[in-house]
Amino acid sequence: MFQHITTHIFLTVLMYIFIFLSMRIMGKREIGKLSVFDLTISIMIAEIAVFVIEDIERPIYDGFVPMATLVLIQVLVAQLSLKSRKLRLLMDGKPSILISDGKLHRGEMRKQRYNIDDLLLQLRGQNIDSPADVEFAILETSGQLTVIEKNKGISSTNQSGNSSSSAEQKEQDKSSQENSSGGSDGSDQSGKSDRSGTVKLPKHKIRYEGLPIPLIMDGKVQDENLEMIGKNRFWLRTQIRQKGVSDFREVFLCSIDHKGQIYIDPISPR
């Protein structure tokens, strides 16, 4: 019994050391930035290590040989990828553009199985209110979303959002907008669109003022959100017709921000 436990401990420590050295040989890359090829190699090495630890009757070289082979394959492919871009694209793939100039690329999103909720979640995580504010959104081969805002040239790939200076700039823009519109709040009580294309919203009903409210998603009207801003489908149909869209089913995404700006992305390009 004692010998059996000792053998398991020895194999566990041995596998840990071997896997640790293998990962160091394979290169310094964050787990979240591993390519599909690197992730596959890592999973296979871990599975082989489990088989060696579980079956103490099996010779150790039955695990070392395939693990060393996988490490060798990864190193060789990595070296060849440094010299061949075609091989890099074959093994890692290439980045996909999901948004360009505020327009959603639905075909690419469908190809990557990236839905609108995932995209909006990633944008909110980087302090971006609406796709209309995005110059480019690029889905990297590692699965991270790189976002470049319009007129700012700021790129962000982490989940903690943009820099503090960007947030301060947004706060300043928000304050200036409120100051400039302070004298005109009482001039329009009808709730209709003004000449600039904005809509007056009941601010006491907007729970999260900085976030846009989706009105249409994937061609389906979000009636709860319409009711929240005090509007109906007739008003919404009028708004999309002003943008050249005749039916709700032709809209991939329609949202309105706290300033009353309406964003519409049609399914079929006009």
Side-chain angles (χ1 to χ4, degrees), residues 115-228:
N115 60 54
I116 185 65
D117 293 311
D118 291 337
L119 182 60
L120 293 178
L121 173 65
Q122 294 292 329
L123 294 181
R124 289 195 298 270
Q126 301 188 29
N127 295 333
I128 297 177
D129 299 334
S130 171
D133 300 329
V134 177
E135 184 71 29
F136 287 103
I138 305 170
L139 184 63
E140 306 293 352
T141 56
S142 63
Q144 290 186 323
L145 188 70
T146 299
V147 179
I148 301 175
E149 296 184 65
K150 287 184 177 179
N151 302 324
K152 291 186 179 181
I154 297 177
S155 177
S156 176
T157 57
N158 56 22
Q159 297 298 321
S160 60
N162 294 329
S163 62
S164 59
S165 60
S166 174
E168 292 174 359
Q169 180 66 32
K170 286 193 174 185
E171 290 295 331
Q172 293 175 2
D173 293 343
K174 180 180 177 181
S175 299
S176 61
Q177 177 70 20
E178 290 177 353
N179 293 335
S180 62
S181 60
S184 60
D185 288 341
S187 61
D188 184 8
Q189 300 296 333
S190 62
K192 296 182 181 180
S193 301
D194 57 20
R195 292 180 180 179
S196 62
T198 60
V199 178
K200 188 174 181 180
L201 298 178
K203 292 186 177 180
H204 64 281
K205 293 186 177 181
I206 308 302
R207 184 176 181 183
Y208 302 106
E209 185 175 323
L211 299 178
I213 302 172
L215 303 179
I216 303 176
M217 297 180 70
D218 295 320
K220 297 181 180 179
V221 179
Q222 308 299 306
D223 292 301
E224 292 182 359
N225 292 340
L226 273 177
E227 183 179 353
M228 181 178 64

Side-chain angles (χ1 to χ4, degrees), residues 13-252:
V13 173
L14 190 62
M15 288 298 102
Y16 169 79
I17 295 174
F18 188 84
I19 293 176
F20 177 78
L21 294 177
S22 299
M23 293 301 171
R24 291 299 301 269
I25 293 174
M26 290 169 58
K28 298 179 180 179
R29 299 186 68 177
E30 295 181 17
I31 297 299
K33 296 182 180 180
L34 290 178
S35 65
V36 176
F37 175 72
D38 293 332
L39 183 60
T40 302
I41 294 291
S42 301
I43 292 175
M44 291 184 66
I45 289 177
E47 288 292 329
I48 294 172
V50 170
F51 293 148
V52 174
I53 295 174
E54 285 183 345
D55 189 359
I56 61 177
E57 301 297 332
R58 176 178 297 179
I60 296 180
Y61 62 80
D62 281 358
F64 281 165
V65 172
M67 291 170 69
T69 302
L70 290 174
V71 173
L72 181 61
I73 292 174
Q74 195 280 337
V75 172
L76 289 177
V77 171
Q79 291 295 327
L80 293 175
S81 298
L82 295 176
K83 302 178 182 180
S84 174
R85 186 171 186 272
K86 291 182 177 180
L87 182 59
R88 287 199 302 272
L89 294 177
L90 177 64
M91 302 304 297
D92 297 335
K94 59 182 180 179
S96 303
I97 298 177
L98 304 184
I99 303 177
S100 62
D101 195 25
K103 300 296 182 182
L104 302 175
H105 294 202
R106 288 167 298 281
E108 194 64 31
M109 290 176 63
R110 190 180 303 111
K111 179 180 177 182
Q112 301 298 329
R113 293 177 293 280
Y114 210 88
N115 60 54
I116 185 65
D117 293 311
D118 291 337
L119 182 60
L120 293 178
L121 173 65
Q122 294 292 329
L123 294 181
R124 289 195 298 270
Q126 301 188 29
N127 295 333
I128 297 177
D129 299 334
S130 171
D133 300 329
V134 177
E135 184 71 29
F136 287 103
I138 305 170
L139 184 63
E140 306 293 352
T141 56
S142 63
Q144 290 186 323
L145 188 70
T146 299
V147 179
I148 301 175
E149 296 184 65
K150 287 184 177 179
N151 302 324
K152 291 186 179 181
I154 297 177
S155 177
S156 176
T157 57
N158 56 22
Q159 297 298 321
S160 60
N162 294 329
S163 62
S164 59
S165 60
S166 174
E168 292 174 359
Q169 180 66 32
K170 286 193 174 185
E171 290 295 331
Q172 293 175 2
D173 293 343
K174 180 180 177 181
S175 299
S176 61
Q177 177 70 20
E178 290 177 353
N179 293 335
S180 62
S181 60
S184 60
D185 288 341
S187 61
D188 184 8
Q189 300 296 333
S190 62
K192 296 182 181 180
S193 301
D194 57 20
R195 292 180 180 179
S196 62
T198 60
V199 178
K200 188 174 181 180
L201 298 178
K203 292 186 177 180
H204 64 281
K205 293 186 177 181
I206 308 302
R207 184 176 181 183
Y208 302 106
E209 185 175 323
L211 299 178
I213 302 172
L215 303 179
I216 303 176
M217 297 180 70
D218 295 320
K220 297 181 180 179
V221 179
Q222 308 299 306
D223 292 301
E224 292 182 359
N225 292 340
L226 273 177
E227 183 179 353
M228 181 178 64
I229 65 174
K231 304 297 181 182
N232 53 36
R233 289 197 174 208
F234 178 78
W235 171 85
L236 183 58
R237 189 182 299 275
T238 302
Q239 297 299 317
I240 65 174
R241 283 180 176 176
Q242 291 178 0
K243 302 292 185 178
V245 182
S246 59
D247 191 81
F248 296 137
R249 290 173 296 181
E250 298 177 6
V251 178
F252 184 65

